[in-house]
Amino acid sequence: MDEAHQPGPGEIDLAIAAKGEERGLLRRGGLAFFFPGRGTAVLNVTHIEAPLDPVAASRAQLAGKAQADAAVALLREEFPGAFGQARVRAYGYPGRRQTRWIKGRHQLTVDEVRAGTRFDDAVARTAWPIELHDRPEGYVWEMFEADHVHYVPLRSMTPPGVHNVIAAGRCIDGDAAALSSVRVMGPCAAMGAAAAHALDLAGGGSTHSVDLDRLRGRLAPNLG
């Protein structure tokens, strides 16, 4: 694709909202992430079910490829300058953004995310938007101000009554909207590092009694 003619913010959303249904698309909006100088983009323009049955999962994947083809055809038509010569290089594999998660000593809330609450036991930070894919026809993409940062507390990674377990990534305790912001790759990597350090500092003791000053010292490059 020709990145010099890429659509402006929100234009792909509007095009899919207007013509997606007639093309058989479940989503009524979508995103394109362009790679400067490479003539490529990653499209997030489809939704499919993710059944556990293997045959049903394969059928869903085929349906997803058909939706991807339909979305690209729509983009070629609506944005010929950018996508007129575009072709699909690879289809993504279906996966689950969110799954079962623990009940932690603290549930991270979307209000804390929006407020940028910095906890005494903060172990990771991120500025990723609220990216909630909670319905087939659309999603929530709530951007923050340029200087916004929000945090993940260790308490949301540690279940009460269990002293040798720390969860990370999409398994921590957060409400659905809060979790949609902190379960992307950057904060997941930070939580993984924090979990490793916390377990090391706990030694044979409880993960609820980790020396937070020492933990913060180890995590200072990420916490700022």
Side-chain angles (χ1 to χ4, degrees), residues 4-212:
H5 297 92
Q6 62 183 269
E11 289 189 65
I12 291 177
D13 261 335
L14 292 174
I16 295 178
K19 297 188 176 181
E21 185 174 5
E22 67 187 57
R23 298 276 185 157
L25 299 179
L26 292 180
R27 280 180 68 148
R28 298 293 177 265
L31 303 170
F33 300 92
F34 297 89
F35 293 89
R38 292 174 53 184
T40 60
V42 172
L43 301 180
N44 190 338
V45 291
T46 62
H47 270 165
I48 61 172
E49 293 185 356
L52 296 178
D53 177 80
V55 174
S58 295
R59 288 173 178 159
Q61 187 169 338
L62 292 173
K65 289 180 178 179
Q67 286 191 56
D69 288 339
V72 171
L74 187 156
L75 294 177
R76 288 195 192 106
E77 180 181 295
E78 295 295 311
F79 308 103
F83 293 100
Q85 303 300 316
R87 60 183 177 83
V88 177
R89 175 180 291 181
Y91 298 97
Y93 287 103
R96 289 170 177 79
R97 293 175 181 271
Q98 293 181 204
T99 182
R100 295 174 179 172
W101 56 91
I102 66 164
K103 177 178 175 58
R105 292 185 291 149
H106 174 81
Q107 182 179 76
L108 182 66
T109 69
V110 69
D111 289 339
E112 291 168 337
V113 167
R114 288 175 175 141
T117 302
R118 179 150 188 173
F119 307 93
D120 290 341
D121 60 341
V123 294
R125 64 176 176 168
T126 182
W128 193 258
I130 295 171
E131 184 192 356
L132 183 58
H133 299 261
D134 59 343
R135 57 194 187 279
E137 69 276 8
Y139 62 97
V140 175
W141 181 259
E142 182 181 324
M143 297 286 289
F144 299 113
E145 298 295 329
D147 60 351
H148 174 89
V149 177
H150 52 277
Y151 298 85
V152 176
L154 182 64
R155 285 169 293 159
S156 293
M157 300 166 58
T158 50
V162 182
H163 297 273
N164 60 350
V165 170
I166 300 180
R170 63 184 181 179
C171 296
I172 73 165
D173 192 355
D175 68 37
L179 193 59
S180 75
S181 175
V182 301
R183 50 122 180 89
V184 294
M185 286 189 290
C188 281
M191 282 185 268
H197 283 295
L199 287 167
D200 180 53
L201 290 171
S206 172
T207 53
H208 302 172
S209 303
V210 171
D211 186 322
L212 293 179

